[in-house]
Amino acid sequence: MKKGLFLFADYYDATTASRRVLLSTKHIFDEIDFVYWARLGTHRKKVEQIYDGINFSVFDKTAKPRSLGVLTLFLSFQFWLLQQLLKKKPKFVVAFTFYTIFPALIYKYFFKWNCKVIYDPRDYVAVSFRINKIVAFCVKFVDNIFIKLSNFVIFPDRQYFIHYGIFHLPKEKYLIIPNSAENIYDQVVNNDIYLKYNLPKDKFIIPILGYFSETRGEKILFELIQRKQHNLFFLFAGDIRDQNHLDFFKNNADNVVFIDKVPYLDALSIMHQSILVPQLYDPETKNNVYAMPTKYYDCLMIGTPVIVSNGQIDVANEIKENNFGWVIDYYDTDSLENCINRLISNPNLIDKEAMKKFFLKNYDYNIFKVKLEEVYKKFLN
């Protein structure tokens, strides 16, 4: 029997990574286990159809964000993951992000040496946050050790080979797959999110979906919200834990709504009905310089303009070269407001059909999923 064990350091549907895996490889497994951390302390009550048949194991303890309790809880999570591995005795493990790979490698090298461990880091942890340079180097070194010790690595881009990598990796050791998505545009246009989420039809929606923090445009977006432009409506959705953010939403309820986590199809439909999608990443964080935001691919698929920060080099260059949106300074609220109003005045400034064609040619996940399937099959056999 071919079994797959997948480790997540957050809700399994917090990113499109789990969808990517199931679209490529669900058919090659007889049994799939998702082991994840329910960061808000509650299990997913509604499971999307794509996750039917999956076995779930949940770590549901929680602590206040950025508190000492988070560190203690993280260590508990590591120990819990190892316990799950010892209990389930898998021969094939995929560890998503830096926060799950250590228990997987401990299990492999100390308890089941023939277990195959695939590391899918998603982001480059040592350069994804504002941390002390010495600490960052130590984390980078440890992460490189994890990469070296894994049987195989799935990278989202070439950053490892530009600035992050310490060790040489042979070509048969890794695969680069963008955090893209499959083309489901026909489903998106037939999904009525106005009725489902009671959204105003007389205002222009600005969606901020998924992970949100001070390095994801907090200052510029909050400033724009507080200007109270009457025809703008800001929609936040995701597993937001920061009480300061939740309080801000409540205090600006006349032009802001927060609706928790939404299914992937609904998220796409919300972005499709939006005037544009901000993907404003702080370029002082090195990972943001080279990373292509997941929702950039989503926006290409559905034809919604994107706005990013100067310094997000790769995505900014592609947007400017193809006229898919705008590039502004990270803290320039006036420019953000101006871009939105220009698009409101002339919706045809951006060629939405060109965006969709570009996606199908370059980023449709069907281009990449066969390669991932081949990797999984190689280590399952």
Side-chain angles (χ1 to χ4, degrees):
M1 179 177 280
K2 295 181 178 179
K3 297 182 179 180
L5 184 67
F6 298 82
L7 309 179
F8 301 88
D10 204 327
Y11 286 97
Y12 59 88
D13 56 356
T15 71
T16 56
S18 59
R19 300 182 64 87
R20 181 181 71 187
V21 165
L22 295 177
L23 285 167
S24 298
T25 61
K26 191 175 183 180
H27 64 283
I28 68 175
F29 292 102
D30 298 307
E31 186 175 315
I32 297 177
D33 284 287
F34 277 11
V35 179
Y36 73 96
W37 186 351
R39 293 287 189 96
L40 295 178
T42 57
H43 302 197
R44 284 283 186 250
K45 294 179 180 178
K46 294 182 179 179
V47 179
E48 293 183 57
Q49 187 175 0
I50 193 172
Y51 301 109
D52 286 350
I54 306 298
N55 301 316
F56 296 102
S57 299
V58 188
F59 182 81
D60 57 8
K61 297 178 181 178
T62 188
K64 291 183 178 180
R66 303 177 188 180
S67 67
L68 186 60
V70 171
L71 178 59
T72 304
L73 208 54
F74 175 73
L75 296 175
S76 297
F77 175 63
Q78 299 297 295
F79 181 67
W80 179 81
L81 283 178
L82 182 58
Q83 287 180 313
Q84 293 297 310
L85 289 160
L86 293 171
K87 177 182 176 181
K88 297 175 184 295
K89 298 180 174 60
K91 294 182 180 179
F92 179 92
V93 177
V94 179
F96 288 95
T97 76
F98 176 81
Y99 310 109
T100 66
I101 184 63
F102 181 61
L105 293 174
I106 290 292
Y107 170 76
K108 171 181 171 62
Y109 284 100
F110 290 93
F111 297 97
K112 201 171 188 67
W113 62 269
N114 62 340
C115 175
K116 306 304 182 189
V117 174
I118 296 178
Y119 184 19
D120 196 330
R122 297 285 297 169
D123 288 313
Y124 300 84
V125 63
V127 293
S128 293
F129 305 97
R130 297 171 180 170
I131 55 177
N132 177 277
K133 288 184 179 181
I134 296 174
V135 175
F137 176 79
C138 293
V139 173
K140 176 180 174 180
F141 183 76
V142 170
D143 198 20
N144 271 263
I145 294 290
F146 291 163
I147 289 169
K148 190 70 174 176
L149 291 176
S150 300
N151 292 98
F152 199 85
V153 187
I154 309 291
F155 292 118
D157 51 48
R158 295 197 60 82
Q159 284 194 64
Y160 182 87
F161 307 96
I162 297 172
H163 66 85
Y164 197 79
I166 295 174
F167 306 112
H168 169 73
L169 291 183
K171 288 185 178 180
E172 61 272 15
K173 170 87 174 185
Y174 68 89
L175 179 65
I176 299 174
I177 298 183
N179 294 323
S180 186
E182 78 277 24
N183 180 33
I184 55 171
Y185 181 76
D186 290 344
Q187 297 178 47
V188 171
V189 295
N190 292 315
N191 186 32
D192 186 355
I193 51 93
Y194 284 101
L195 179 63
K196 188 177 292 187
Y197 297 105
N198 193 29
L199 301 179
K201 291 188 175 183
D202 59 342
K203 294 187 177 183
F204 296 96
I205 298 173
I206 310 291
I208 301 91
L209 310 178
Y211 179 74
F212 181 66
S213 73
E214 70 275 5
T215 62
R216 296 289 180 92
E218 176 191 289
K219 181 178 181 295
I220 186 173
L221 289 166
F222 280 10
E223 282 185 359
L224 183 57
I225 289 169
Q226 290 175 319
R227 292 184 180 185
K228 303 292 184 183
Q229 183 169 325
H230 74 280
N231 58 349
L232 298 184
F233 188 78
F234 296 83
L235 188 154
F236 288 79
D239 297 314
I240 294 178
R241 308 173 183 91
D242 192 320
Q243 190 59 46
N244 291 327
H245 292 159
L246 298 176
D247 290 341
F248 181 88
F249 303 152
K250 189 182 297 183
N251 294 333
N252 292 274
D254 52 335
N255 65 338
V256 175
V257 66
F258 171 60
I259 56 175
D260 295 317
K261 169 73 179 176
V262 297
Y264 179 61
L265 177 59
D266 289 356
L268 290 176
S269 299
I270 288 168
M271 289 189 284
H272 180 250
Q273 295 295 337
S274 300
I275 187 71
L276 57 71
V277 175
Q279 289 292 278
L280 296 160
Y281 288 21
D282 184 356
E284 292 298 316
T285 303
K286 198 167 188 178
N287 182 66
N288 294 342
V289 173
Y290 300 99
M292 303 286 274
T294 302
K295 289 175 184 62
Y296 170 64
Y297 302 118
D298 293 336
C299 287
L300 289 177
M301 184 229 297
I302 58 180
T304 299
V306 188
I307 188 161
V308 301
S309 306
N310 269 320
Q312 291 178 251
I313 293 175
D314 285 359
V315 68
N317 286 343
E318 193 162 286
I319 286 171
K320 286 189 287 187
E321 288 171 7
N322 296 281
N323 190 34
F324 291 156
W326 288 272
V327 180
I328 64 173
D329 288 339
Y330 183 62
Y331 294 110
D332 191 348
T333 310
D334 289 339
S335 290
L336 174 59
E337 186 175 30
N338 181 53
C339 292
I340 293 170
N341 287 329
R342 284 176 61 197
L343 196 54
I344 289 172
S345 299
N346 184 3
N348 296 319
L349 275 175
I350 305 298
D351 187 341
K352 296 185 176 185
E353 291 303 315
M355 294 181 73
K356 289 183 258 184
K357 289 177 182 177
F358 188 86
F359 171 82
L360 292 173
K361 180 180 179 181
N362 297 280
Y363 295 125
D364 185 351
Y365 187 58
N366 287 316
I367 299 170
F368 308 100
K369 69 178 185 180
V370 173
K371 296 179 181 178
L372 185 61
E373 179 181 345
E374 289 172 351
V375 169
Y376 281 19
K377 282 182 175 179
K378 173 184 174 182
F379 290 105
L380 271 173
N381 296 328

